[in-house]
Structure formats: structure tokens, C-alpha cells
Amino acid sequence: MILKNCVGLITGASQGLGKAFAESLLKKGAQVVICDINQAQGEITRAEFDLRYGPGRTAFITCDVTSLPQLKDVFSQTVQTFGRLDVLCNNAGINNENSWERTISVNLVALIQASYLALDHMRRDRGGKGGSIINVASMSGFVPAAHAPVYTASKHGVLGFTRSLAEASSLGNYGVRINALCPSFVNTEILETVNHEENLGIFYQFKDNVKNLMQAFGVLEPSDVANGFVQLLEDDNLNGAVMKITTSKGIHFENY
Ligand SMILES: NC(=O)c1ccc[n+]([C@@H]2O[C@H](COP(=O)([O-])OP(=O)(O)OC[C@H]3O[C@@H](n4cnc5c(N)ncnc54)[C@H](O)[C@@H]3O)[C@@H](O)[C@H]2O)c1
């Protein structure tokens, strides 16, 4: 996919990884819609992008991805503003074992909803122009984690959904590539959640395990992960791919 003049929609992009993904698209000459529940930070990020990449290339829409009406509105506004939709990145995510149902709602249910809405716009076999969906999973999509069983379940779910939908897209000639991105620890606010009992709930006692893992494996920067994001979008051969990014091995793929 040639990213110049594409239109990308990224959820949870006020800060952290989503912001880095949005910036990588802007650097390639695309236009982006960033949506996030955090309105104040989203507006700051849009203003920053306007200054750096020129006004009118970034739109910010306040959205709680767990609300289907709000999510539908984001897709309509994206097409109204920029005339098309080529890329969806399902990035919004939380780590909360206390409100574990919400963790599943944000990390998995909303990702499924948004993927279906994107397919409605993109499917070539239904008159769309094709496109690309990237679902942000994690290394938690492969390994168990005592401090975060439900977060881990949500990310395992993201991989199963992504690989299955990619197969449907290929067999059904949707013309949409659907891939997953699995970084190990990245230097963003979500890492802070492991320091708080209100996030980890009864698993708070295992917080030192995860801190030891961070020490052992190291922490990536969002820009490292954005490089993988761009590779998944630009390589037209990738569908159903599961890209892993770690400090030791860099960008590589899971072979199932
Ligand atoms: N940082 C890491 O170590 C790491 C590693 C692997 C995967 N991930 C995944 O990367 C993604 C991005 O996380 P991050 O690391 O940038 O953390 P982050 O906390 O900085 O960013 C998450 C963003 O999602 C937004 N968000 C949360 N709930 C939302 C909702 N209901 N509706 C809309 N937006 C919502 C937040 O406001 C925030 O801007 C998540 O899916 C996370 O699970 C992160």
C-alpha cells in the first residue's frame, strides 16, 4: 500500500503508541483521524500535528470505543472529512483487572466492532476500495501473565480474531489485509498501571514479577513499534501476519 494521500483512522491515539502510529502516517504524506476517550490530550496532539505537518491533515474526534454509536459516528465523520478510509488501526487499550469486563470491552469487543465497521467501508467485493486493518495485540498474546489474566486473555483473543478474519478476507476476496502487531514492553503510560492496586486488583501481589520482566527484556520506544506498523501497511503480501517486536530481536514474525 502506498501511504501518501491515504486516510488512516487510529483509535486511542491521543498519546503513546497510537500517537506514534498517527505521526508515522503523517510523515508518509497520509491524513489521519485520531480518536480517543481523552479529549484534552487528543486536542493537544492534533494541535501539535497541525504545527508539524500542516493544518487540515489531522482530525481529532472524542470517542469511547465501547460505545457503538460513537464508533459509528467516527467512521462517518472520517469519510465526511477526508472522503475515504484506507487504514484502520485498532490501538485503544487498557490494563485493568479490577474492571475486567471493561478490559475485554475495550481491548477485544470494540476492536471487533471497529473491524466490522471498517470492512463495511473497505470490502472490494461489496463495492469498496480495499484497505488495511492493523490490530494491536501484545506479547501478552502468547505468554501467560500472573499480574494480568484478563488483559492476557484479551490479547490472545485479538490474535485469534485477526488471523481468522484475515483468512475470511482472503477466501472472500474482501481486498482488505488484516494483520496484528505484538510489541513487548513499550515506554508509554500503560506501563504505569502495574504500580496500582486499583488496576491489578487481586493480582497486585504479582507486580514485582512484571517489573522483573521489564528489567530483563528492556523497554521499547513507541517509534520502534511505529516502524513495524509502517512495514505491515506497506507490504502488500502480508495478511494474517503476526508481527512481534522485542528489544533483543527487533521486528520479526510468529511462525504458526
Ligand atoms: N506499552 C506497552 O508496553 C504495550 C505493549 C504491548 C501492547 N500494548 C498495547 O498498545 C496499545 C496502546 O497502548 P499504549 O501503550 O500506547 O498505552 P496508553 O495508555 O498510552 O494509550 C492508550 C490510549 O487508549 C485510550 N483509550 C483507553 N480506553 C479508551 C476507550 N474506551 N475509547 C477510546 N480510547 C481509549 C487512552 O485514552 C490512551 O490514549 C494498547 O492496546 C496496549 O494494550 C502496549
Side-chain angles (χ1 to χ4, degrees):
M1 171 182 269
I2 293 163
L3 292 174
K4 193 169 166 54
N5 298 324
C6 271
V7 175
L9 165 59
I10 305 174
T11 67
S14 283
Q15 61 180 39
L17 279 173
K19 181 181 175 186
F21 298 155
E23 185 152 23
S24 69
L25 287 184
L26 289 165
K27 281 184 180 155
K28 289 277 178 180
Q31 291 158 309
V32 285
V33 174
I34 54 181
C35 78
D36 203 293
I37 199 167
N38 184 342
Q39 180 173 9
Q41 188 55 46
E43 279 166 1
I44 290 169
T45 295
R46 186 191 45 77
E48 193 182 315
F49 286 166
D50 281 355
L51 273 180
R52 227 177 276 165
Y53 301 102
R57 291 187 50 204
T58 310
F60 170 69
I61 304 171
T62 309
C63 168
D64 177 346
V65 292
T66 65
S67 156
L68 184 56
Q70 287 182 34
L71 208 47
K72 282 184 172 170
D73 191 51
V74 166
F75 279 85
S76 325
Q77 282 196 53
T78 300
V79 175
Q80 264 168 29
T81 309
F82 292 123
R84 52 189 289 160
L85 175 66
D86 306 289
V87 171
L88 167 69
C89 176
N90 282 305
N91 166 76
I94 59 170
N95 177 31
N96 194 318
E97 297 295 318
N98 253 337
S99 307
W100 61 264
E101 295 96 333
R102 179 138 180 102
T103 297
I104 296 285
S105 296
V106 175
N107 295 7
L108 186 57
V109 178
L111 174 145
I112 294 169
Q113 291 283 20
S115 299
Y116 289 161
L117 291 171
L119 285 181
D120 287 345
H121 286 273
M122 293 173 176
R123 277 179 67 167
R124 277 215 185 104
D125 60 318
R126 300 255 172 101
K129 295 192 174 74
S132 192
I133 298 175
I134 295 187
N135 291 329
V136 180
S138 165
M139 290 303 279
S140 305
F142 305 97
V143 289
H147 71 286
V150 174
Y151 179 83
T152 303
S154 73
K155 297 302 187 181
H156 275 67
V158 169
L159 292 186
F161 174 72
T162 302
R163 297 177 65 216
S164 304
L165 196 64
E167 206 165 299
S169 178
S170 157
L171 293 172
N173 296 313
Y174 294 180
V176 180
R177 295 187 298 105
I178 305 156
N179 295 296
L181 188 51
C182 303
S184 63
F185 301 112
V186 194
N187 183 15
T188 69
E189 263 185 30
I190 211 170
L191 288 192
E192 251 301 296
T193 55
V194 304
N195 294 314
H196 302 288
E197 194 164 0
E198 70 253 34
N199 290 107
L200 297 195
I202 58 167
F203 306 108
Y204 184 62
Q205 67 181 112
F206 304 123
K207 71 173 188 317
D208 289 338
N209 298 28
V210 64
K211 287 186 170 175
N212 292 339
L213 287 174
M214 280 182 211
Q215 286 265 313
F217 289 105
V219 177
L220 296 159
E221 286 304 319
S223 55
D224 302 326
V225 187
N227 290 336
F229 169 79
V230 168
Q231 188 178 322
L232 281 178
L233 290 176
E234 288 187 332
D235 186 343
D236 290 324
N237 294 315
L238 297 176
N239 183 44
V242 175
M243 176 186 276
K244 296 154 102 174
I245 309 182
T246 60
T247 50
S248 57
K249 289 193 187 165
I251 292 173
H252 56 294
F253 289 87
E254 176 72 0
N255 289 317
Y256 286 95

